[in-house]
Amino acid sequence: MSDPHLLGDPPIPLLLRRSAQAKRISLRISQLDGRVTLTMPKRLAEREALDFARSKEAWIRKHLEARGEDVMVGIGAEVPLGGKNYRVQAGTGRRVEITADGIFVPGPAARVGARLSAHLKEIARDRLAGASDDYAARLGRSYARLSLRDTRSRWGS
């Protein structure tokens, strides 16, 4: 079957992916571009996977609607961080800097979104590690690792 999609208004294109590691069918909706990926075990019939996607169509549409419009982060955009909005500005040097005046992102304008995203993930990881250390100390336990994932877009998560 070429170009699989869910019928309706609007039709939803599906990206089919076979995986030798997959034990069951999974659906993911990219928060970046709204792409719906249907991952299935290698030996599963494509028809079964598409039937699964059709059975979850309401869930898919709900998440695509909740996703909202795409916002391109670039120079001049407002980005929320820690309860405040910061204006993204062109920066100098090698590192992203966050001050009361805004977020200064160095480099070419086409890379501002990617550089800022990477920097915000570092901040999130640092804050998560700090909170995890505090809670682990309170509980008298340790933890082995931290991982940041966006599981809101996977059915059943």
Side-chain angles (χ1 to χ4, degrees), residues 38-108:
L38 180 62
T39 303
M40 62 185 136
K42 197 168 187 165
R43 299 193 195 298
L44 185 75
E46 194 171 295
R47 177 186 40 77
E48 280 187 62
L50 292 174
D51 287 345
F52 176 80
R54 280 188 211 93
S55 74
K56 304 300 177 202
E57 183 174 354
W59 178 86
I60 294 169
R61 288 190 184 280
K62 182 181 102 178
H63 277 76
L64 287 173
E65 287 172 18
R67 197 178 145 268
E69 294 293 315
D70 289 339
V71 176
M72 299 308 291
V73 175
I75 304 300
E78 293 249 334
V79 175
L81 176 64
K84 296 179 185 175
N85 284 335
Y86 293 89
R87 184 165 303 282
V88 178
Q89 301 177 42
T92 58
R94 298 184 57 122
R95 306 199 78 176
V96 174
E97 289 185 43
I98 301 173
T99 69
D101 296 327
I103 300 176
F104 296 89
V105 184

Side-chain angles (χ1 to χ4, degrees), residues 15-33:
L15 176 64
L16 292 181
R17 203 184 84 163
R18 290 195 180 274
S19 170
Q21 290 82 30
K23 303 234 184 298
R24 62 187 64 86
I25 302 169
S26 71
L27 277 168
R28 287 183 184 259
I29 300 172
S30 170
Q31 292 300 311
L32 296 175
D33 59 8

Side-chain angles (χ1 to χ4, degrees), residues 4-12 54 57 61:
H5 59 279
L6 297 175
L7 301 176
D9 188 25
I12 301 171
R54 280 188 211 93
E57 183 174 354
R61 288 190 184 280

